[in-house]
């Protein structure tokens, strides 16, 4: 029998963390963070990393395992999460993946083969020569035009990833996201995806409120500390919650403008999350409101009982 795995997905600020604790307590589970930015130490507030007191004794994994100057690719994420699933299952406990981008969750559950497209040395050298002649910005601008989804995930100075994404596109005619989606193999798992959703106006209001709380809790100090430690130009700092505030510290924008851009980008990201999960994955959606959340969580726990017995 395939190992059963639960994944809780949905936009930021919708209530995934609270639900994951309820499920873990009810079904002897351990939680794996599906957020690729929560792996970084010192990036706590901006990634909405769960606090110790919020864990209620439930073991959490994939948190604080990397320094902000270390790369962490979707292939790295896939390997690490699959390792934790195996370890949790060996303890006769239920693996629960919480949050994260659709591509990363899909890579784990659908077992993408990331090595199927070999490097083209001649094409790599050609792109590297262009970079040496015209600068990385020219290549990054090209990537933004042909594959804006990947460009949004890659720091403009991370020339290796920029070149790799362009190489895949020029060789296959597919964007890196499209190419990866075609490489998925048979899943090792019997997985159930639980999606939380709410009406857009209410969700956007919650996102705005969450960011106000982040500012109150010290997000500015967190970003400044990361910059002072020399992490400004690394991939980790391209995450939403960090890249929007860097210009403020350089005097390029006001704090009010930076926070509004952060709220706008967070709302847009939530919309993209919805679109991905609705179009790419089979998700069991539950619509919640602040008044119905406990009732919906009870429904989810009952539905899970049937899945886990099957």
């Amino acid at each position: 029998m395939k190992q059963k795995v639960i994944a809780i997905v949905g936009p930021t600020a919708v209530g995934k963390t609270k639900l994951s604790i309820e499920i873990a307590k009810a079904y002897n589970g351990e939680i794996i963070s599906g957020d690729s930015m929560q792996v970084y130490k010192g990036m706590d507030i901006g990634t909405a990393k769960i606090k110790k007191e919020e864990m209620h004794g439930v073991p959490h994994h994939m948190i604080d395992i990397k320094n902000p100057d270390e790369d962490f690719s979707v292939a790295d994420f896939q390997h690490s999460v699959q390792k934790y699933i195996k370890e949790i299952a060996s303890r006769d406990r239920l693996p629960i993946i919480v949050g994260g981008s659709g591509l990363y969750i899909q890579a784990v559950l659908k077992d993408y083969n990331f090595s199927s497209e070999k490097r083209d040395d001649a094409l790599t050298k050609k792109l590297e020569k262009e970079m040496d002649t015209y600068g990385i910005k020219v290549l990054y601008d090209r990537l933004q035009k042909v594959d804006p989804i990947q460009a949004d995930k890659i720091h403009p100075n991370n020339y290796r990833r920029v070149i790799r994404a362009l190489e895949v596109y020029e060789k296959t005619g597919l964007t890196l996201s499209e190419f990866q989606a075609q490489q998925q193999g048979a899943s090792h798992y019997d997985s159930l995806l639980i999606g939380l959703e709410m009406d857009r106006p209410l969700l956007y209001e919650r996102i705005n409120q969450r960011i106000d709380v982040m500012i109150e809790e010290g997000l500015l100090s967190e970003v400044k500390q990361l910059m002072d430690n020399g992490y400004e130009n690394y991939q980790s700092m391209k995450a939403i919650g960090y890249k929007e505030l860097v210009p403020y510290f350089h005097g390029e924008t006001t704090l009010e403008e930076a926070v509004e851009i952060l709220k706008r980008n967070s709302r847009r990201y939530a919309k993209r999350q919805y679109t991905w999960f609705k179009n790419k994955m089979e998700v069991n959606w539950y619509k919640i409101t602040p008044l119905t959340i406990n009732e919906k969580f009870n429904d989810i726990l009952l539905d899970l009982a049937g899945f886990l017995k099957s």
Side-chain angles (χ1 to χ4, degrees):
M1 291 181 64
K2 291 182 178 180
Q3 171 61 44
K4 291 189 182 288
V5 176
I6 306 300
I8 303 172
V9 303
T12 183
V14 77
K16 300 186 296 294
T17 297
K18 183 179 179 183
L19 175 61
S20 69
I21 296 296
E22 295 295 321
I23 293 175
K25 289 193 296 186
Y27 293 108
N28 193 33
E30 296 188 22
I31 293 171
I32 303 170
S33 170
D35 189 321
S36 62
M37 289 297 111
Q38 291 189 357
V39 301
Y40 291 114
K41 301 171 185 175
M43 302 183 74
D44 303 332
I45 301 172
T47 64
K49 201 175 287 180
I50 188 169
K51 299 180 177 68
K52 193 76 173 177
E53 61 271 19
E54 295 171 333
M55 294 181 182
H56 294 278
V58 175
H60 281 65
H61 308 281
M62 291 287 287
I63 294 174
D64 293 338
I65 61 173
K66 292 283 183 180
N67 292 317
D69 58 353
E70 296 181 88
D71 286 336
F72 194 69
S73 69
V74 62
D76 295 328
F77 177 87
Q78 177 196 55
H79 174 76
S80 297
V81 172
Q82 290 180 344
K83 176 177 71 74
Y84 279 119
I85 289 173
K86 186 175 181 180
E87 290 177 1
I88 293 168
S90 72
R91 295 190 284 271
D92 291 324
R93 296 173 72 93
L94 176 65
I96 306 166
I97 305 172
V98 183
S101 75
L103 176 63
Y104 279 62
I105 301 299
Q106 198 171 42
V108 171
L109 299 180
K110 296 297 184 181
D111 201 28
Y112 285 168
N113 180 1
F114 288 98
S115 61
S116 58
E117 181 63 21
K118 295 181 179 179
R119 301 302 298 255
D120 185 324
D121 291 338
L123 185 52
T124 299
K125 288 177 181 177
K126 170 181 167 289
L127 291 167
E128 288 176 343
K129 186 175 180 180
E130 284 187 50
M131 180 185 69
D132 292 339
T133 303
Y134 304 109
I136 186 61
K137 186 178 185 302
V138 171
L139 294 187
Y140 185 76
D141 289 346
R142 188 189 309 168
L143 181 62
Q144 284 184 309
K145 291 178 181 177
V146 301
D147 191 355
I149 294 175
Q150 285 298 320
D152 192 49
K153 299 175 183 176
I154 300 174
H155 193 281
N157 293 336
N158 192 334
Y159 70 90
R160 289 187 181 88
R161 291 189 63 193
V162 172
I163 287 175
R164 176 56 174 163
L166 284 173
E167 180 189 321
V168 169
Y169 178 75
E170 293 189 15
K171 186 177 180 183
T172 68
L174 301 172
T175 68
L176 188 56
S177 297
E178 291 170 335
F179 176 78
Q180 290 168 346
Q182 291 189 3
Q183 307 312 306
Q184 61 191 52
S187 176
H188 299 303
Y189 311 114
D190 181 9
S191 58
L192 179 69
L193 276 73
I194 298 168
L196 298 183
E197 61 179 338
M198 61 174 54
D199 289 335
R200 294 292 174 86
L202 177 58
L203 175 65
Y204 290 167
E205 181 183 341
R206 285 170 65 93
I207 289 172
N208 290 340
Q209 290 173 350
R210 168 177 277 195
I211 291 168
D212 288 337
V213 170
M214 286 179 173
I215 297 296
E216 292 172 6
E217 290 182 343
L219 179 57
L220 287 171
S221 297
E222 182 171 278
V223 174
K224 184 64 164 59
Q225 184 66 53
L226 290 162
M227 293 174 66
D228 290 345
N229 289 340
Y231 296 131
E232 179 181 342
N233 293 318
Y234 287 95
Q235 175 67 19
S236 58
M237 289 292 282
K238 198 175 187 298
I240 293 174
Y242 297 89
K243 64 180 180 180
E244 294 85 0
L245 297 178
V246 169
Y248 164 69
F249 288 105
H250 288 305
E252 298 168 1
T253 185
T254 67
L255 177 58
E256 184 179 35
E257 289 169 339
V259 171
E260 283 306 309
I261 291 171
L262 172 52
K263 290 179 177 179
R264 181 202 68 192
N265 287 353
S266 297
R267 294 191 299 268
R268 287 179 177 175
Y269 180 60
K271 185 177 180 180
R272 291 199 303 272
Q273 284 179 300
Y274 266 137
T275 300
W276 175 279
F277 285 117
K278 299 249 181 184
N279 294 337
K280 303 281 189 180
M281 304 185 77
E282 294 182 9
V283 179
N284 298 276
W285 291 100
Y286 296 84
K287 193 166 189 177
I288 62 174
T289 70
L291 294 178
T292 64
I293 188 168
N294 291 329
E295 177 186 342
K296 290 292 184 181
F297 281 10
N298 286 333
D299 291 343
I300 292 169
L301 291 175
L302 290 173
D303 291 345
L304 264 179
F307 167 73
L308 294 173
K309 288 177 182 177
S310 63

